[in-house]
Amino acid sequence: RRGRRPARSDARRGHRAKMAMACWLAALALNGGQSGPCTSPAQSWLSSVRPSIALSSAEAIELSLLAMQGGDIDGGAALWLRFSAPSFCLAAIEPWGAPALALAVRDSKSQYSLLADSRLAIEFPTEPVERFDSDGIAVSWHEVELELRPGGRFDSEGYTAAKLGWENEWSSKGWCTRHVSWHDFRPAFRPGIGQEEWPRICG
């Protein structure tokens, strides 16, 4: 589904809403669960945000996905690393690290450039699946839809650009990313790095 072409005011409202959400999540992390004032997203606060037991698993995911929406791609990439388990890496980013992730996000030919697209909206269409792994570590798996909507507004129609299977693990710091599978639906990137085309159920 494709929505109407956004008016400039729509784009500004969508951007402000996403930045307000990112600021609120960052404030939770910084203030130990108590939301507080936050300035506009910039390196000044991105560099200070760390995993926190005050954030739910879904909130930790949302903060990671929104981190680059303010334009500070380097700061957002560094935040991804802080919110990641030691064993985590995204497919095809080698050597794994914040500089390589930032480079991929800036590359329009990379599927990861979606993370900086101002039309990005995030949805959690299903409930998370929670379990303990063989080592007794709490794990939470989420289905995450990355949608492109006019102006990035949550109240507008768009289409699903990618679906992620996002697995977090619990640590003494809070929820950290353990694994992400990225299935892309955009013609230039489908089915996504390391993915296979999903069979059509109908049509």
Side-chain angles (χ1 to χ4, degrees), residues 2-202:
R2 295 182 180 271
R4 61 181 175 81
R5 182 179 178 84
R8 186 170 300 178
S9 59
D10 289 344
R12 285 199 297 266
R13 282 197 296 270
H15 178 75
R16 285 198 298 266
K18 286 190 291 185
M19 293 305 96
M21 174 62 76
C23 279
W24 181 78
L25 291 171
L28 280 181
L30 289 168
N31 299 331
Q34 302 297 317
S35 59
C38 178
T39 58
S40 60
Q43 188 172 4
S44 58
W45 68 261
L46 277 179
S47 62
S48 303
V49 180
R50 299 290 188 276
S52 170
I53 59 174
L55 293 176
S56 70
S57 181
E59 287 170 342
I61 293 170
E62 195 163 11
L63 180 55
S64 295
L65 290 172
L66 289 174
M68 300 182 195
Q69 288 290 299
D72 182 8
I73 293 176
D74 292 322
L79 183 145
W80 266 69
L81 269 289
R82 293 194 298 274
F83 274 74
S84 297
S87 60
F88 172 72
C89 65
L90 279 175
I93 297 184
E94 298 178 356
W96 171 246
L101 174 58
L103 186 64
V105 172
R106 289 190 173 97
D107 183 0
S108 61
K109 297 180 181 179
S110 165
Q111 66 181 24
Y112 301 121
S113 62
L114 180 62
L115 296 172
D117 194 312
S118 62
R119 298 170 295 167
L120 182 66
I122 302 161
E123 292 286 350
F124 295 87
T126 58
E127 292 296 315
V129 178
E130 298 177 346
R131 63 181 179 87
F132 289 93
D133 68 10
S134 58
D135 295 321
I137 298 174
V139 176
S140 183
W141 182 90
H142 298 258
E143 179 184 3
V144 186
E145 289 186 354
L146 302 184
E147 298 187 352
L148 292 177
R149 299 181 182 179
R153 293 181 58 191
F154 294 98
D155 59 349
S156 61
E157 291 188 351
Y159 64 95
T160 300
K163 277 196 175 186
L164 312 184
W166 193 300
E167 188 173 69
N168 279 340
E169 66 176 47
W170 180 257
S171 72
S172 59
K173 301 183 297 181
W175 290 105
C176 293
T177 306
R178 172 185 277 195
H179 179 74
V180 173
S181 61
W182 181 303
H183 194 91
D184 214 298
F185 297 105
R186 296 169 293 169
F189 303 105
R190 66 183 306 164
I193 299 169
Q195 299 289 303
E196 296 181 357
E197 283 284 359
W198 291 351
R200 292 180 181 271
I201 298 176
C202 59

